[in-house]
Amino acid sequence: MKLRFLGGTGTVTGSRYLLSGDKHRVLVDCGMYQGVKTLRKRNWAAFPVDPSTIDAVVLTHAHIDHSGYLPALVKNGFKGKVYCTQATHELCKVLLPDAGFLQEEDAKYAFRKKFSKHEKPEPLFTEKDAWEALKHFESLHYHEAFEPVKGFRVTFTPAGHILGSSCVHVHHQGSDRTVVFSGDVGRQNDIIMRPPEPLQKADVLVCESTYGDRAHGESDPEAVLAEIITKTAGRGGIVLLPAFAVGRAQMLLYVIHKIMGDGKIPKLPVFLNSPMAIKATEIFCKHHKEHKLNAAQCELMDEKTEFVRTVEESIELDAVRYPCVIISASGMASGGRVLHHLKTLLPNPRNSIVFAGFQAPGTRGDALVNGAESVKIHGEYWPVKAEIHNMDSLSAHGDYNEILAWLEQGSLRPEKVYVTHGEMVASDVMRKRIHEKFGWDAEVPELFEEVNLGSDENGVR
């Protein structure tokens, strides 16, 4: 069995790992690249291997940097099945068509405003392409073993990152080797998600490293958020929270309504302006047994939020000038309705913009949290006068301490660890920490590197 790293190396986006046996190929994750232009351009390059030669895809979770390239893969010749957990399947039914729709809308907007260098901007894939890709999906339960292709036995275990997120365990019968892909690893004490299930066996481990070089800190996120909202409302401003539609939006809704119910912030209107996040919230409530919130808490969160569904309602919300809280996608301010809010709110020092998760280099979110004096949106530069906050304590990723604690909880003794899905420094620091703590042979692979996972007298080669 061979493993080739087709993405997710040197960056936190574009996760794609190709497993090859004698006769079959299985792709673990099929993510889009996000962030700096050089990374985004990879989405438009020919896929590193012919999609028609891939027999199956297995997803760790629904986030676009792990699933978002699937419509393009199908469009370019993939004909196999896509396997994932049930919640991941339901979320992909929301995320993938929405991603296609937004790309179509962005292409139309760029054409109308003439800010694209292309005479007629085209989307990478369309909403129709996304629905076509979803016809290939097949969902399974956690711990339910299945064979995506003959000779490969796969199971999912909970990863605690978002609803439906999983670690993917692949056993190759021909080499009698097991490789485990961590996917994105959740927190040990997340506000709404349960901790990741400990791993018990892996000959080879592919481990994420988003926060491989930093810790989240010990500040109380409820107290910090309460202070920001109270101060902003006191000066007549609006609090905007760019949030990932899946995971962070639901967590923020819960926290805001909780601190409002506890009297820690004034009673303000709370708007969720993202059709995708609204649908994801409904799915989150449906699967309440998979996270910490009970049905009653989910229902309360649903009842007290004003959902903004239509374009007309979004335009009306953009004209609001009274204190309120707006949650809108995307989480890195890379697209979607949040951009229109930013254009309105950034120039006013009374407002606050609060980021609640990792900001990939090259994104507007990254520029804003690092002190940019202006940001480019829809072809124009907008001054940054609003207060900018970055609460990485609200991240859905475990930091290096939490990942090390998680790895220690099971009975792992891998012969090899490949550290991926992190910026170069973060991955290398994580590699060192894993080796120093456990003595495991850890390495940071390069893009397109291929390794042989078969065993010989020296183990993995």
Side-chain angles (χ1 to χ4, degrees), residues 8-13 207-216 358-361 397-401 403-404 417-436 442-445:
T9 60
T11 175
V12 296
T13 70
C207 184
E208 73 120 314
S209 56
T210 305
Y211 284 89
D213 61 341
R214 73 194 94 166
H216 288 316
F358 185 83
Q359 303 300 308
H397 288 266
D399 62 22
Y400 74 85
N401 282 318
I403 291 179
L404 291 174
V417 179
Y418 293 103
V419 181
T420 63
H421 200 76
E423 300 303 312
M424 286 188 286
V425 171
S427 292
D428 194 56
V429 172
M430 193 74 207
R431 172 194 65 80
K432 293 178 182 177
R433 295 185 190 280
I434 288 174
H435 178 71
E436 289 171 358
E443 179 181 328
V444 179

Side-chain angles (χ1 to χ4, degrees), residues 231-250:
K231 284 186 175 181
T232 305
R235 60 177 182 255
I238 294 171
V239 177
L240 173 66
L241 298 109
F244 301 105
V246 177
R248 292 308 83 187
Q250 292 74 44

